[in-house]
Each structure stands twice: as structure tokens, then as C-alpha cells.
Amino acid sequence: MMQLPSHQTTDNKTDTTGDASQPPRPKGKLARPKPCYLWTTADVQKWFKRHCSEYFQLYSHLLILHDITGKSLVRMSEGTLIRMGIKHPEHLEAIWREILKLRLKADIQEMKEIEMSAIFS
């Protein structure tokens, strides 16, 4: 007997309920990801695992220990990472690079939203 993945229900429909505290998000092009400055610590963990997977086992506990949310993640500096305990130069550089990319992406998205609100106001 074949087991279904945990994200599916027994009738082979994908379970879209997700986190019960979050309303379901619409699918398709109109669905926008949650802005990183609204991320919870769990959202940061998901981002870290996806973008810094080679360092996830080494450092994910530090993000939890320091209660790093999306807002604090994009406000970090290299010094913050060092103070948290990420001292290996290559690891530090790679993680810092991903944070900078996230910050840039968030800034671009914010500018687009400002532009769109100016058009429709």
C-alpha cells in the first residue's frame, strides 16, 4: 500500500489549509509572498533552509536562540552575525550575501508597491 505525502489528504487533493492561524492565500499571479519584514521566526527558518542550506544545520539554532524575525533579519549587519556566533569567514560571507539579496529584493518590492499605489490613487 502506497503512503501519500503528508501535504496531501486521503482523497488526493492537496491540503491548502496550511497554518490554521493564517488565512489561505490566493493562487496564481495575483498572490504576493508575505513581505519579509512580516516574517515570523518560522518564516526565517524556511528562508534560511532554502537559501543557506549548507549552513542550516550549523547555524539555524542561532536564529531561533536570538528570536530572529524577518524584520530583524533585513536589519542585520555582518557584525550582528559575528556577535550571534557565525565567525567562519566563508560562512559569514555566504550568509551575509543572501541577507543582502533578500534586503534588495524587499526594497525593490516596496518601491513597486509605492509606484502602484501612486498610479491608482
Side-chain angles (χ1 to χ4, degrees), residues 37-69:
Y37 51 84
L38 297 178
W39 287 356
T40 63
T41 54
D43 294 323
V44 170
Q45 288 292 306
K46 289 177 194 173
W47 171 85
F48 192 64
K49 188 171 190 173
R50 183 174 185 173
H51 294 277
C52 303
S53 59
E54 60 271 30
Y55 308 114
F56 185 78
Q57 292 296 323
L58 291 170
Y59 302 118
S60 63
H61 71 283
L62 294 175
L63 298 173
I64 294 168
L65 177 68
H66 293 280
D67 196 28
I68 302 300
T69 63

Side-chain angles (χ1 to χ4, degrees):
M1 182 173 180
M2 188 168 126
Q3 279 191 313
L4 295 173
S6 61
H7 68 278
Q8 291 184 340
T9 59
T10 54
D11 62 357
N12 283 338
K13 291 182 183 174
T14 302
D15 182 5
T16 57
T17 56
D19 183 0
S21 66
Q22 297 289 327
R25 292 196 349 224
K27 301 272 184 214
K29 280 191 171 188
L30 297 178
R32 291 216 168 115
K34 183 176 10 174
C36 62
Y37 51 84
L38 297 178
W39 287 356
T40 63
T41 54
D43 294 323
V44 170
Q45 288 292 306
K46 289 177 194 173
W47 171 85
F48 192 64
K49 188 171 190 173
R50 183 174 185 173
H51 294 277
C52 303
S53 59
E54 60 271 30
Y55 308 114
F56 185 78
Q57 292 296 323
L58 291 170
Y59 302 118
S60 63
H61 71 283
L62 294 175
L63 298 173
I64 294 168
L65 177 68
H66 293 280
D67 196 28
I68 302 300
T69 63
K71 190 174 187 177
S72 55
L73 182 66
V74 295
R75 291 180 173 180
M76 279 188 177
S77 67
E78 284 182 282
T80 308
L81 293 171
I82 293 168
R83 286 189 299 279
M84 285 175 53
I86 303 172
K87 297 186 174 148
H88 188 286
E90 289 176 24
H91 301 182
L92 179 67
E93 182 182 337
I95 294 167
W96 178 238
R97 188 178 320 112
E98 291 301 323
I99 291 171
L100 288 175
K101 286 196 273 186
L102 176 65
R103 189 184 295 174
L104 180 59
K105 187 176 179 181
D107 288 347
I108 290 169
Q109 185 60 42
E110 188 175 352
M111 286 187 284
K112 285 180 181 177
E113 289 173 8
I114 291 168
E115 192 175 84
M116 292 303 287
S117 67
I119 290 171
F120 292 111
S121 60

